[in-house]
Amino acid sequence: MSSRRPWRHVTFTLGVLLTLALITVAVVSLAWTPTDPLAMSIVARLQAPSSSHPFGTDQYGRDVLARVMAGARTSITVGVIAVAIGAVAGVLLGIVSGYAGGWPDEILMRVSDAIQGFPAILAALLFTAVFGPGVAMSMVAIGIAFVPAFARLARGSVLELRGRDFVVAALALGAGDRRVLFRHVLPNTLAPLIVQATTSFPVAVLAEAGLAYLGLGTQPPQPSWGSMLKDAQNFLALSPSFALFPGGAIALTVLGLNLLGDGLRDLLDPRAG
Amino acid sequence: MRQYLSRRVAAFVATLFVVSLLVFVVIRVLPGDPARVIMGTEGNPEATARLRTSLGLDRPLVVQYVDWLAHAVRGDLGVSIQYDVPVGRLIMSRLPVTLPLTLLAAAFMVATAVPLGLYAATHHRRVGDYVTMVISQLGISVPSFWAGLLLILAFSVHLGWAQSGGFRGWRSLILPAIALGVFQAAVLVRATRSAVLDVMREDYVRTARAKGVPEGVVVVKHTLRNALIPIVTVAGLQVGQLLAGSIILESVFVLPGLGRLALGAITARDLPVVQGVTLFVASSIVAINFLVDLAYSALDPRLRHE
């Protein structure tokens, strides 16, 4: 075990640092960006990186650094809300399913299996066709895709805990089902759920970028790394650097969040290591 | 075994049923009046009413659902509003792009990930292991469409070796398949490594080594064969992810597949096509997961007797 410690330490620390950097950028961009991320300039279109525009400019002459910074906000917001939707819906589904057992369990698990057939992209296609594209749509679509994983986790924990002495004792003392579920069962499933939420976050960031790239998610002029890449694709030969910075921002963010998730899993769930 | 099988099949059919219900609810029930979604803001009331009648949207929802499902089961997914062609035929015409793309990406994934994962596991906690883990960590950080753009930048813009988009035979699918496969390959490297490591801790592996079986035979015959059970499961589930992911890569490389069909249908508010494609893709993913489930129990006899 001891020989693994340093390696674990490195990945976790790196994850924390990258994630802190992401949050810092997002917070700073609320108050300050080099220029207004929405300010256009005809004379400064598609410029290569320079001292006045460290990341260059896009096809409307907007500062790419400012837009990458503002894009961090979009990623974090969509990620947090999507994971919250998936976690709340999935956990409710899972604990009800596991606690009730019998045919309600059977039905809810088939629903969970069916939702697995709808990865975020497919759910987004379905919703966008009816409600039109938008950032809210991508949060819901991504959140739904997370439901089965949270549901299985919560259900498994409930099945494991249901027969335990402290749960039986609480029931014997006259505690109601709801009290037993929320006061005794749920707190004991928290650690794996936190790990699941952390590891879902980078997946949400990737999905948000993908949906925005397809035009199904975040809409212009709101800056999103995905839609910036969609713009950049039209000018690949003219301005290759335009495609590098938003993509690099996604990759660094996801890398940081993945390392953080791996580290947390080692810390909170010794069995998984 | 027969009881196990019939339970799995029943669960599979029930899941497909729920899939169809979900698609129906989103497309036909949630919007209130799908005819108005199709006509948009410029539609006049008479035309909307006529469309409602011709699509059968004025009937009770239960009747609509049963009717739609009964036709869908026979492969009849309705008629495209935009092209006036059966949706089933449209899907079939796009499959020769999406299917090979998915399979090529899956082949790339397995061909790179299994050897790398095996290498990492057999070099556990040595330099080779760490390097492989760093590479796979980077692989799961790169979004597939950005990987696609970088490949276009390198091979089309700079080197001029490949076309940057369009479909002219399977060669046009190589770069998209690599871009699509990288992320899942990185995931599979980690799964392979941990599966092989798990088996290597088993007593029978220690016994094989103790009686002097050559290391190569231990790795291939005793370890890899047993580790294949979890590896096949993970890889199988990833094929469904690749199928969904192909929707994005088709856009990056301008390939006329199912994803582009659906995206075009959304712009044209062609609801029958969206409904048909999502039903088809979601059912395929559920079917793939079901087959993986069966393969798992076929590979691992212990499961069948529970």
Side-chain angles (χ1 to χ4, degrees):
Chain A
M1 282 309 269
S2 58
S3 65
R4 293 181 61 140
R5 287 274 148 178
W7 176 247
R8 268 192 205 179
H9 220 72
V10 171
T11 55
F12 186 58
T13 312
L14 203 59
V16 171
L17 288 178
L18 281 170
T19 308
L20 282 179
L22 169 77
I23 295 172
T24 309
V25 168
V27 170
V28 167
S29 79
L30 281 172
W32 179 85
T33 47
T35 60
D36 179 355
L38 301 180
M40 304 187 189
S41 163
I42 299 235
V43 285
R45 280 180 297 175
L46 293 173
Q47 285 184 356
S50 65
S51 55
S52 54
H53 298 292
F55 285 7
T57 59
D58 71 3
Q59 77 274 29
Y60 300 118
R62 295 177 297 199
D63 184 60
V64 173
L65 173 60
R67 291 182 66 74
V68 167
M69 287 176 70
R73 243 150 50 202
T74 310
S75 277
I76 293 180
T77 315
V78 173
V80 167
I81 296 179
V83 172
I85 292 174
V88 171
V91 168
L92 279 179
L93 196 88
I95 55 179
V96 170
S97 188
Y99 200 74
W103 62 264
D105 179 36
E106 199 61 40
I107 291 178
L108 289 176
M109 280 302 104
R110 291 294 81 74
V111 172
S112 167
D113 284 352
I115 294 175
Q116 280 193 314
F118 296 90
I121 296 180
L122 209 58
L125 282 177
L126 206 55
F127 285 122
T128 311
V130 176
F131 300 106
V135 71
M137 212 52 55
S138 55
M139 293 172 186
V140 173
I142 298 166
I144 286 177
F146 288 143
V147 167
F150 280 102
R152 283 187 184 277
L153 204 60
R155 178 176 176 270
S157 302
V158 172
L159 289 180
E160 192 187 318
L161 293 169
R162 201 168 50 173
R164 292 276 193 85
D165 289 342
F166 69 94
V167 174
V168 177
L171 283 171
L173 287 169
D177 282 347
R178 201 185 306 168
R179 186 182 166 83
V180 169
L181 278 178
F182 287 95
R183 294 295 296 272
H184 300 281
V185 173
L186 200 55
N188 280 293
T189 65
L190 228 46
L193 286 175
I194 289 172
V195 171
Q196 180 65 34
T198 317
T199 50
S200 300
F201 202 87
V203 180
V205 170
L206 283 174
E208 187 276 329
L211 293 179
Y213 172 82
L214 288 177
L216 300 177
T218 316
Q219 294 295 301
Q222 192 182 353
S224 154
W225 295 335
S227 50
M228 292 177 77
L229 283 174
K230 182 191 173 70
D231 291 341
Q233 183 170 11
N234 296 323
F235 307 100
L236 267 187
L238 221 56
S239 172
S241 69
F242 185 11
L244 295 182
F245 293 107
I250 302 173
L252 269 181
T253 299
V254 174
L255 177 66
L257 293 168
N258 276 331
L259 294 175
L260 184 72
D262 286 357
L264 268 185
R265 179 165 42 213
D266 285 344
L267 284 174
L268 291 175
D269 190 2
R271 282 168 302 175
Chain B
M1 179 66 195
R2 182 175 292 171
Q3 200 191 357
Y4 173 84
L5 256 183
S6 55
R7 277 201 56 183
R8 299 306 320 165
V9 172
F12 170 58
V13 173
T15 307
L16 282 182
F17 178 74
V18 180
V19 165
S20 74
L21 204 58
L22 291 177
V23 172
F24 182 81
V25 165
V26 174
I27 296 276
R28 294 263 178 108
V29 183
L30 288 187
D33 185 2
R36 210 178 290 158
V37 173
I38 294 166
M39 295 304 285
T41 41
E42 66 267 33
N44 68 41
E46 291 88 53
T48 310
R50 243 178 290 133
L51 183 72
R52 203 178 291 132
T53 318
S54 74
L55 289 177
L57 298 172
D58 47 359
R59 298 170 298 165
L61 281 174
V62 180
V63 177
Q64 287 186 45
Y65 174 67
V66 172
D67 185 54
W68 173 67
L69 189 62
H71 282 90
V73 170
R74 282 173 273 154
D76 175 6
L77 294 166
V79 177
S80 159
I81 294 168
Q82 188 187 5
Y83 301 109
D84 202 23
V85 176
V87 175
R89 206 190 298 163
L90 277 177
I91 291 177
M92 283 304 155
S93 73
R94 301 302 183 101
L95 268 187
V97 174
T98 301
L99 201 60
L101 174 59
T102 305
L103 293 178
L104 212 55
F108 169 77
M109 169 185 86
V110 172
T112 53
V114 174
L116 268 179
L118 192 62
Y119 173 81
T122 49
H123 293 73
H124 190 38
R125 289 184 203 173
R126 280 184 267 163
V127 180
D129 184 21
Y130 291 130
V131 171
T132 313
M133 286 292 86
V134 169
I135 293 173
S136 86
Q137 192 64 258
L138 292 177
I140 57 172
S141 305
V142 175
S144 64
F145 60 99
W146 191 48
L149 288 183
L150 293 180
L151 288 175
I152 293 177
L153 200 55
F155 289 96
S156 307
V157 177
H158 283 299
L159 296 170
W161 287 357
Q163 64 200 38
S164 62
F167 182 65
R168 269 160 269 168
W170 66 275
R171 277 166 188 276
S172 337
L173 298 178
I174 296 176
L175 288 185
I178 293 174
L180 177 57
V182 164
F183 179 89
Q184 300 294 349
V187 175
L188 189 59
V189 167
R190 299 171 128 211
T192 304
R193 173 178 175 272
S194 65
V196 171
L197 282 179
D198 278 349
V199 176
M200 279 181 145
R201 290 193 197 105
E202 296 281 346
D203 288 339
Y204 57 79
V205 172
R206 197 186 322 142
T207 308
R209 282 201 179 121
K211 70 180 186 186
V213 176
E215 187 60 23
V217 179
V218 171
V219 168
V220 174
K221 203 174 151 191
H222 296 257
T223 309
L224 187 58
R225 280 182 68 167
N226 283 293
L228 271 181
I229 297 170
I231 294 172
V232 166
T233 311
V234 173
L237 295 176
Q238 286 180 297
V239 175
Q241 299 296 315
L242 290 173
L243 178 61
S246 71
I247 293 173
I248 284 197
L249 267 301
E250 286 171 12
S251 273
V252 178
F253 288 88
V254 204
L255 298 169
L258 280 179
R260 302 253 306 159
L261 176 65
L263 285 171
I266 286 177
T267 319
R269 295 194 291 258
D270 193 346
L271 286 189
V273 170
V274 179
Q275 196 175 5
V277 172
T278 44
L279 179 71
F280 179 81
V281 175
S283 307
S284 306
I285 294 174
V286 168
I288 291 168
N289 293 354
F290 169 66
L291 290 177
V292 170
D293 214 27
L294 286 191
Y296 188 80
S297 53
L299 284 171
D300 193 345
R302 280 167 297 186
L303 272 173
R304 272 173 267 159
H305 296 292
E306 270 178 15

